[in-house]
Amino acid sequence: MAKKSMVEREVKRAKLVKKFANKRASLKAIIEDQNLPMEERFKATLKLAELPRNSSAVRLHNRCQLTGRPHAYYRKLKLSRIMLRDLASFGQIPGMVKSSW
């Protein structure tokens, strides 16, 4: 089980990303628009830099939904490899069977 503080930090980041998504997108559109004057684009760059760092989607890290483990994460199932194996062994994932020979 991951530390509660790390899991809560990721939850907080996800909320910030969602809250500032529209503002970040509009500022980035202004910055990338070559038709606008350089001063206006520079002001947009400064406003973007003033936003919280954790509001950037790049700072999010995938974690297992059950344990919070950050490594060996399967995106499709949103689980770590350990939980995937446990749930498959108990037959709780449809269509997945633990191999044996």
Side-chain angles (χ1 to χ4, degrees):
M1 186 76 182
K3 287 173 61 176
K4 282 252 190 233
S5 61
M6 298 303 288
V7 174
E8 290 303 315
R9 186 181 300 168
E10 283 299 317
V11 170
K12 182 181 174 184
R13 282 182 183 152
K15 286 179 185 175
L16 276 174
V17 168
K18 189 175 180 181
K19 180 179 177 182
F20 287 100
N22 293 334
K23 191 168 189 174
R24 291 184 77 85
S26 63
L27 287 172
K28 284 185 178 186
I30 292 170
I31 293 168
E32 293 172 6
D33 189 2
Q34 297 292 329
N35 298 328
L36 294 175
M38 190 66 179
E39 296 83 23
E40 193 173 332
R41 291 170 51 206
F42 185 70
K43 286 180 184 177
T45 305
L46 294 177
K47 284 184 182 178
L48 185 65
E50 288 175 2
L51 293 178
R53 283 187 178 177
N54 284 335
S55 67
S56 175
V58 174
R59 292 176 70 96
L60 288 177
H61 199 283
N62 292 329
R63 287 186 173 269
C64 175
Q65 294 276 315
L66 301 177
T67 61
R69 181 181 164 86
H71 298 291
Y73 174 84
Y74 287 89
R75 290 181 187 176
K76 197 170 190 179
L77 301 169
K78 297 186 179 184
L79 295 173
S80 66
R81 64 178 175 82
I82 298 166
M83 290 311 299
L84 178 66
R85 182 182 166 95
D86 285 349
L87 293 175
S89 294
F90 293 122
Q92 294 181 352
I93 299 177
M96 190 172 285
V97 183
K98 181 176 175 268
S99 66
S100 59
W101 57 90

